[in-house]
Amino acid sequence: MKVTIDVDRCQGHGRCYEVAPDVFTDDDRGRGEVIKADVPVEFEAQVLLAVSACPEKAITVS
Amino acid sequence: MADYGQGGAPSAMSPEAEAQIKAWTYERSNDPRGYYERLRAKCPVDFETHQSAANGAGGITTAAVLSRADIEEVLRNTDIFSSEMPIMGSQEPVIPLGVDPPLHSMYRRVLDPLFSPKKMAVLQPKVADAVNEMIDSFIENGEVDFSEAIAVPLPCLMFLELLGLPGAELDEMVRWKDIMIRPEIVAGSAEAGMALQAQTAGEIYGRFGAEMEKRRNAPTDDLISYFMSATVEDGRNLTDSEILRILFLLLAAGLDTVTISLQAIFNYLATHPEAQQLIHDDPDQIDNVIEELLRWETPVQTLTRIAKVDTELSGCPIAAGTHMIAALPSGNVNEEYPETLTVDLTRGDKAHLSFGGGNHRCLGSHLARMELRTVLREWHKRIPFYSIKPGTDIEWVASTLRGIDYLPLVWTSEKG
Ligand code: HEM
Ligand code: SF4
């Protein structure tokens, strides 16, 4: 699984790095950043939670 | 935040219009989910109900937006839907709430880092101490009015802390925010409320202005001093007027919102023993519990935008100048998405719009979450099981900000 954040959509709700802290982190403005773009299998479930929790639909997995 | 719900000042509202507004806001506050479900059954955009409020302001058309997709469109498409409107007795737009991009983005770039999760984590121990001190003062009694003892004072104290103002000003802060948020209730009528609000806005600007003067030559380690030294895009400082309009908004947006969220969440928990058991058994669920209840209760009911051009939503024509009312409860709990119709306290992944969406996403959302989480964590450590005092009629405040002024809780078991 690969994951990206669309920086134009992200508004810094912070849900991604809270529900999937192994894959996302926060920048100094509180916006989400991907730290593991190639998601290890054990974190895939976390990432799917982040996808549904993000109010801006800014996270895409492929 | 005072009427997120009605942009314009209802200067000369008729008694009938006022009674009508009271009736529907009361009905909505008691049962927002049922209320918006009934509206959705008629049409995805409601031109009738919210109209009465704006009528007083001189025949403004309102369109309450009820479908999730349309609400998201109204909040995100700033080319069509503008936030520039007069609110809260303030002459110039408050910052950043009343400003559109690109200026809005410039302000948020300065403000976001101050309210980031990392900054808020530094403040967290102070919140925990304050909560524990409050609990100390009443735990022996076995009962307390949660609103008076925690929900109202806690966010006000943290606000004073952030601004570097003495805790002794708590009472003044509570009075100010009440007048800003619901002038009509403090003053007794919409008209008297508007006058009181304008007068108090002047007082607040004066008070913050004096604090800025004090810091001009002797900066302190707080938000006011930070704003005074901050530089924006083109290398210039924020002007005094800009700083005042930021401070004013923080007061109006950051206090009652946390208060009412605490009230709604504790009312839910107090009436759901299984939820208390869940937190008792697995305190790590607190974050999920809070997200799910923020969604379910939707403390801030509506946000307002103004249509800049003629447009269309769900096939309904919207004329330029229409006040768009984004009905957040209708976006959060909606039969289009069946999983939103039930409460799952162990799921924090049902995306909600309780902090808004798009570029105006609540600036204080990380502060608010930290405060809510800290209160739940500290309270449940010491008072794990409690209920509403028998014989109490829970009364929701009929306002855009949906809270419970009097929330008496009782408990028997106590730990530490
Ligand atoms: C649980 C508590 C809170 C809730 C439910 C809440 C809700 C909201 C919502 C829905 C908006 C969007 C307004 C719009 O789009 O028109 C907003 C904006 C805002 N909130 Fe909060 N809020 C809360 C706490 C706070 C706190 C603690 C602060 C203090 C820093 C704060 C400061 C702001 C500011 C400054 C804005 C304007 C942001 C902008 O226009 O860019 N809020 N809030
Ligand atoms: S949850 Fe979505 S909007 Fe929030 S920080 Fe993550 S990507 Fe951005």
Side-chain angles (χ1 to χ4, degrees), chain A residues 11 18 29 52 55-57, chain B residues 72 76 112 349 358 361:
Chain A
Q11 299 289 351
E18 293 199 322
R29 293 182 65 180
S52 62
E56 307 292 346
K57 302 188 181 78
Chain B
E72 290 181 2
R76 286 196 189 123
D112 282 350
D349 70 313
R361 185 269 304 166

Side-chain angles (χ1 to χ4, degrees), chain B residues 1 4 96-97 104 108 115 253-254 257 261 305 354-356 360 362 364:
Chain B
M1 286 195 180
Y4 272 162
L97 185 71
H104 179 266
R108 286 297 294 250
F115 292 93
T257 45
S261 301
R305 300 290 188 265
S354 294
F355 288 112
H360 290 276
C362 175

